[in-house]
């Protein structure tokens, strides 16, 4: 598969850094810029938290420092990414709009004193954010040094999407009335006959928090969709304002394992997706892995977590994506914060490039000696001395410069597509049914199983273009609506828990998955505690989730007690009714890949491959060297060969 994604050839792989001129004396800006350029850095992101220094009092703008900073950085040869500062509304803003603060599930407003304290539904704050974006666009939209824009910073970080504020309540009622038209339709769609939950008017509907026991899942699901739409609108309003004032690309920096809003929807209004990659922080803070795994990869990060997000954000960015923030050393925010093994900053950077990143930008240039992130390392120490991360960044810059073949992102379509769908996450959060059923985890483990076989994977939205893929997987997909299976002759694996609900999070009639072409119905669902491992006849075990299947199908795999767990039609569509472990995944995937002519390899633990148009990259996440493919890859090392 070497279908190039058109139009990307013009972009070059390069490095960037996040910089906060407002946090340092002006006298050091010039020298900082010179040192960045000397290290091989081409991009510098500034401004995204600077509201209080740009507008210290309402309507009293202070631009001179930002004018100078942009001029100094640009004159040194750096391209500037300018951030809109809407993630950090200044203190005076709260006096203007006391009700703009987001409200948590217990009804408590979140306080000023850190960041992301706004509610996406608050019309007054939205107007302020757009006003600021417009002022910045008017001043810098045609500035030759400002080569890209970042809108806001990490939507959803610190658990900030769901807000139970008055503004959200008013907005939710309006959103519902537009969607359903009449209250009778909503009552019917949600099944409000149950527990006498019928409403007489949209005005009676509250937000689904603080109920005595669980609220109606349809109500929660609607609120989750509404909350996601608030983010999309918030972002779009700033994007629309900037579009009129600049031709530079618009970007947002998403986070790792933040799933509370639909990133694909936000991405439609932007030109480039980016994300903030903190592999060691994420390993301890965001993954349900064993203690052994976490110890083994303590200083390297999980071997699949970064790659998963690279592949996801490539789809969110419609092909164009960056790492906007790359961990350069210990962070400050995980339960424990070890230093990366020597080599890992380089490995993470090359891994991003191998997955198609145009830019890898380190967070941050110099460690702050004050405030919340003073323990977070950077490329320079707080005393301006070079830190380990800069050494490795410099090495990456030199490697890019030395080899023309490494300079373009060179993405090719992967043989395998894996569907990732945000509403499915909300559905199974709302109705887990088993205490540890998590959609992200299910999709991520599927991804890990594919990568353990050496496969390059494209992650796609449910409505993505499936043509050209040989193998398509859609685990845990709440509904199949929009999944264009008829456009493909690939081998398809749906399930577990795919196509079994409506968009309202109720049962479809007839029962799902309702696939024309695969006669298979889920007749009973069980969830199992993590200690229960169901042995399978192929190899390995399944667990957590077990669906009983009815229909006229061929059984490909079953439990040792004879219950069908992988079934197929007379073509190549499969339904999987259990959550497989790693061995079971291998036993399922290996023959299906072979039948499609997809090459698989048995990789050592912690070794991963990624194919681009012109190279095969090998990454060794292990703390010791590994012999593989006729070469020895050093601990925390990366190698590549032309292909
Ligand atoms: C990111 C954020 C940065 C900084 C960084 C620290 O989530 O965008 O501003 O806080 O984390 O690791």
């Amino acid at each position: 598969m070497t279908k190039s994604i058109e139009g990307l050839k013009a972009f070059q792989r390069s490095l960037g850094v996040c910089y906060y001129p407002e946090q340092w004396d002006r006298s050091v800006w010039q020298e900082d810029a010179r040192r960045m350029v000397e290290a091989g850095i081409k991009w510098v992101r500034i401004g995204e938290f600077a509201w209080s220094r740009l507008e210290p009092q309402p309507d009293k703008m202070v631009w001179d420092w930002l004018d100078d900073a942009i001029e100094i950085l640009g004159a040194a040869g750096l391209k500037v990414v300018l951030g809109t500062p809407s993630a950090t509304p200044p203190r005076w803003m709260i006096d203007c709009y006391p009700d703009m603060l987001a409200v948590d599930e217990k009804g408590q407003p979140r306080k000023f004193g850190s960041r992301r304290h706004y509610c996406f539904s608050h019309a007054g704050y939205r107007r302020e954010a757009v006003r600021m974006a417009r002022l910045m666009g008017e001043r810098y939209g045609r500035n030759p040094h400002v080569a890209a824009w970042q809108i806001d910073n990490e939507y959803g970080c610190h658990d900030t999407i769901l807000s139970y504020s008055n503004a959200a309540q008013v907005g939710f009622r309006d959103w519902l009335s537009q969607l359903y038209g009449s209250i009778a339709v909503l009552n019917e769609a949600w099944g409000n006959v149950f527990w006498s939950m019928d409403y007489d008017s949209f005005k009676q509907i509250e937000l689904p928090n603080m109920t005595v026991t669980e609220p109606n899942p349809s109500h929660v699901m609607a609120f989750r969709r509404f909350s996601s739409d608030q983010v999309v609108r918030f972002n779009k309003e700033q994007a629309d304002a900037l579009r009129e004032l600049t031709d530079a690309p618009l970007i947002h920096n998403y986070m790792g394992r933040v799933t509370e809003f639909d990133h694909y929807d936000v991405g439609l209004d932007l030109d480039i997706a980016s994300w903030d990659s903190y592999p060691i922080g994420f390993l301890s803070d965001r993954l349900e892995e064993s203690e052994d795994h976490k110890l083994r990869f303590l200083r390297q990060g999980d071997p699949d977590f970064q790659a998963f997000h690279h592949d996801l954000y490539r789809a969110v960015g419609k092909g164009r994506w960056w790492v906007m923030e790359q961990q350069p050393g210990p962070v400050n925010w995980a339960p424990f914060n070890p230093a990366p093994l020597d080599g890992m900053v380089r490995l993470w950077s090359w891994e991003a490039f191998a997955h198609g990143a145009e830019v890898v930008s380190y967070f941050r240039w110099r460690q702050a000696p004050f405030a919340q992130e003073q323990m977070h390392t950077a490329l320079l120490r707080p005393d301006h001395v070079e830190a380990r991360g800069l050494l490795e960044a410099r090495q990456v810059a030199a490697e890019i410069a030395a080899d023309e073949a490494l300079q373009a992102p060179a993405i090719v379509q992967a043989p395998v597509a894996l569907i990732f769908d945000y509403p499915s996450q909300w559905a199974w959060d709302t109705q887990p049914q088993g205490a540890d059923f998590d959609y992200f985890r299910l999709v991520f483990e599927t991804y890990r199983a594919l990568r353990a076989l050496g496969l390059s994977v494209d992650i796609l939205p449910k409505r993505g273009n499936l043509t050209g893929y040989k193998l398509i997987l859609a685990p845990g997909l709440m509904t199949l609506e929009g999944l264009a299976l008829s456009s493909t002759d690939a081998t398809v694996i749906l399930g577990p828990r795919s196509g079994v609900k409506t968009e309202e999070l109720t049962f479809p009639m007839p029962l799902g998955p309702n696939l024309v072409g695969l006669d298979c119905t889920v007749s009973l669902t069980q969830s199992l505690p993590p200690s229960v491992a169901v042995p399978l006849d192929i190899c390995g075990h399944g667990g957590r989730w077990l669906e009983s299947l009815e229909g006229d199908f061929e059984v490909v795999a079953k439990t040792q007690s004879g219950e069908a767990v992988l079934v197929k039609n007379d073509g190549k569509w499969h339904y999987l009714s259990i959550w497989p472990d790693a061995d079971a995944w291998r036993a399922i995937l290996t023959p299906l890949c072979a039948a499609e002519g997809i090459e698989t390899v048995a990789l050592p633990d912690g070794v991963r491959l990624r194919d681009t148009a012109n190279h095969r990259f090998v990454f060794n996440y292990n703390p010791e060297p590994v012999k593989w493919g006729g070469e020895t890859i050093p601990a925390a090392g990366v190698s590549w060969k032309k292909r």
Side-chain angles (χ1 to χ4, degrees):
M1 303 286 290
T2 52
K3 190 170 100 186
S4 282
I5 294 182
E6 287 309 316
L8 289 176
K9 295 194 187 76
F11 304 108
Q12 297 279 299
R13 287 173 172 149
S14 52
L15 299 183
V17 75
C18 306
Y19 185 52
Y20 300 90
E22 71 277 19
Q23 296 175 11
W24 305 100
D25 195 86
R26 271 179 202 228
S27 60
V28 303
W29 295 355
Q30 193 121 29
E31 177 62 2
D32 281 340
R34 187 196 65 73
R35 291 176 80 186
M36 290 174 197
V37 171
E38 178 274 328
I41 287 168
K42 309 270 189 225
W43 290 86
V44 58
R45 185 197 64 178
I46 61 173
E48 81 278 9
F49 299 130
W51 199 324
S52 72
R53 295 302 167 104
L54 289 173
E55 191 179 19
Q57 299 298 321
D59 292 326
K60 297 227 160 27
M61 304 308 298
V62 179
W63 297 112
D64 62 325
W65 70 267
L66 188 53
D67 293 350
D68 289 356
I70 291 173
E71 184 51 37
I72 288 171
L73 295 164
L78 293 158
K79 289 186 271 193
V80 172
V81 183
L82 187 56
T84 68
S86 50
T88 48
R91 180 61 188 82
W92 56 256
M93 187 77 76
I94 317 298
D95 292 333
C96 302
Y97 305 100
D99 59 347
M100 64 165 276
L101 296 169
V103 173
D104 74 13
E105 211 178 341
K106 298 208 165 87
Q108 291 294 328
R110 304 188 91 170
K111 289 186 178 170
F112 180 83
S114 64
R115 61 179 173 183
R116 301 217 55 78
H117 35 283
Y118 67 86
C119 172
F120 284 95
S121 298
H122 192 275
Y125 183 58
R126 290 206 321 272
R127 272 196 307 276
E128 294 285 342
V130 170
R131 178 181 61 85
M132 189 61 173
R134 190 168 290 129
L135 287 170
M136 292 179 80
E138 282 163 359
R139 194 158 187 100
Y140 303 112
R142 308 281 167 210
N143 184 307
H145 301 313
V146 176
W149 291 76
Q150 176 183 300
I151 298 179
D152 204 280
N153 191 81
E154 289 184 348
Y155 296 132
C157 194
H158 318 304
D159 199 7
T160 49
I161 299 302
L162 303 182
S163 169
Y164 298 87
S165 66
N166 282 336
Q169 174 148 313
V170 171
F172 185 48
R173 289 172 180 164
D174 184 48
W175 186 92
L176 290 171
S177 77
Q178 288 186 33
L179 185 66
Y180 292 101
S182 95
I183 198 69
V185 174
L186 178 144
N187 281 330
E188 179 70 21
W190 290 9
N192 281 338
V193 59
F194 193 79
W195 287 353
S196 277
M197 292 183 296
D198 286 311
Y199 296 102
D200 302 316
S201 105
F202 287 102
K203 288 203 186 73
Q204 295 171 332
I205 302 180
E206 296 192 81
L207 300 179
N209 61 325
M210 296 166 71
T211 50
V212 173
T213 183
E214 60 176 308
N216 185 339
S218 300
H219 186 177
V220 180
M221 192 64 197
F223 179 59
R224 300 294 300 261
R225 291 186 193 280
F226 159 80
S227 301
S228 177
D229 285 358
Q230 302 308 294
V231 183
V232 175
R233 177 180 59 182
F234 185 90
N235 179 73
K236 183 173 189 311
E237 287 178 352
Q238 288 194 49
D240 289 349
L242 287 172
R243 290 275 180 221
E244 291 173 14
L245 301 163
T246 183
D247 298 325
L250 307 183
I251 311 179
H252 177 71
N253 58 331
Y254 306 97
M255 237 304 191
R257 202 171 178 172
V258 164
T259 51
E260 287 81 12
F261 66 95
D262 194 320
H263 293 46
Y264 302 118
D265 287 351
V266 169
L268 291 177
D269 297 314
L270 300 174
D271 304 300
I272 300 175
S274 74
W275 80 288
D276 298 344
S277 179
Y278 292 93
I280 294 179
F282 292 145
L283 177 80
S284 64
D285 163 274
R286 255 157 240 217
L287 272 174
E288 304 91 343
E289 285 298 333
S290 67
E291 271 315 296
D292 281 356
H293 181 90
K294 291 194 176 184
L295 277 178
R296 175 150 189 80
F297 297 107
L298 184 72
R299 297 178 186 279
Q300 306 95 290
D302 181 88
D304 296 304
F305 194 84
Q306 289 65 251
F308 179 91
H309 287 84
H310 297 336
D311 291 341
L312 173 64
Y313 290 127
R314 196 171 60 245
V316 170
K318 299 159 285 178
R320 292 196 67 186
W321 73 279
W322 299 12
V323 171
M324 190 63 89
E325 298 179 13
Q326 173 63 63
Q327 176 169 3
V331 300
N332 64 308
W333 45 262
F336 303 99
N337 297 294
L341 281 187
D342 288 356
M344 283 314 296
V345 172
R346 170 173 172 261
L347 184 155
W348 296 325
S349 307
W350 274 113
E351 189 176 39
F353 287 135
H355 286 256
E358 294 168 24
V359 175
V360 174
S361 168
Y362 301 96
F363 183 88
R364 47 187 266 162
W365 174 243
R366 184 166 39 242
Q367 185 169 350
F370 41 67
Q372 282 93 327
E373 293 180 349
Q374 56 187 274
M375 298 302 290
H376 192 297
T377 54
L379 296 184
L380 301 186
R381 301 189 326 207
D383 61 358
H384 302 225
V385 172
E386 229 175 82
R388 168 86 206 177
L390 186 56
L391 191 80
E392 295 191 25
R394 191 179 273 126
Q395 184 182 351
V396 176
E399 285 167 338
I400 297 173
D403 183 348
E404 211 181 314
L406 288 172
Q407 286 165 12
I411 308 171
V412 287
Q413 185 173 358
V416 183
L418 174 64
I419 309 298
F420 187 82
D421 176 57
Y422 291 91
S424 297
Q425 176 78 48
W426 312 332
W428 308 145
D429 284 351
T430 305
Q431 194 177 73
Q433 180 66 7
D436 65 349
F437 191 101
D438 179 83
Y439 175 74
F440 178 93
R441 185 177 181 188
L442 174 63
V443 180
F444 181 66
E445 286 186 16
T446 308
Y447 180 81
R448 199 195 272 307
L450 292 162
R451 298 245 306 160
L453 292 171
L455 297 169
S456 294
V457 178
D458 287 345
I459 295 181
L460 297 184
K462 187 163 78 163
R463 291 174 195 284
N465 180 354
L466 302 180
T467 53
Y469 292 101
K470 295 183 173 177
L471 175 64
I472 298 166
L473 294 99
L477 201 56
M478 174 178 60
T479 75
L480 303 182
E481 205 179 304
L483 186 69
L485 287 182
S486 55
S487 67
T488 168
D489 57 1
T491 293
V492 175
I493 309 178
L494 302 168
R497 211 178 187 181
S498 290
V500 287
K501 293 286 165 162
T502 66
E503 300 286 341
E504 313 280 354
L505 199 43
T506 60
F507 273 103
M509 292 299 160
L511 298 176
N514 280 319
L515 273 169
V516 182
L518 173 55
D519 179 6
C520 160
T521 299
V522 173
S523 58
L524 177 76
T525 298
Q526 306 180 58
S527 63
L528 303 168
S531 54
V532 176
V534 180
L536 304 182
D537 68 344
I538 34 171
C539 180
H541 296 78
R544 279 197 200 99
W545 196 256
L546 181 56
E547 297 168 321
S548 304
L549 305 178
E550 274 176 10
D552 182 14
F553 43 62
E554 181 187 326
V555 178
V556 181
K558 43 188 183 331
T559 64
Q560 283 188 3
S561 59
E563 188 158 7
V565 292
L566 182 65
V567 303
K568 74 188 272 280
N569 66 356
D570 49 11
K572 299 196 283 185
W573 292 6
H574 298 69
Y575 192 89
L576 173 68
S577 64
I578 200 163
W579 183 318
D581 68 7
D583 290 339
W585 264 127
R586 193 174 322 111
I588 292 168
L589 291 170
T590 308
L592 293 179
C593 286
E596 285 289 357
I598 305 171
E599 182 205 356
T600 56
V601 288
L603 287 176
D605 194 27
V607 173
R608 292 293 185 250
L609 309 181
R610 168 74 193 173
D611 291 335
T612 67
N614 34 27
H615 292 95
R616 166 162 281 192
F617 287 81
V618 186
F619 300 95
N620 180 15
Y621 265 81
N622 292 296
E624 65 278 329
V626 166
K627 282 202 174 107
W628 189 83
E631 59 172 337
T632 301
I633 308 125
V638 45
S639 77
W640 53 83
K641 281 203 183 82
K642 289 236 164 76
R643 60 178 211 124

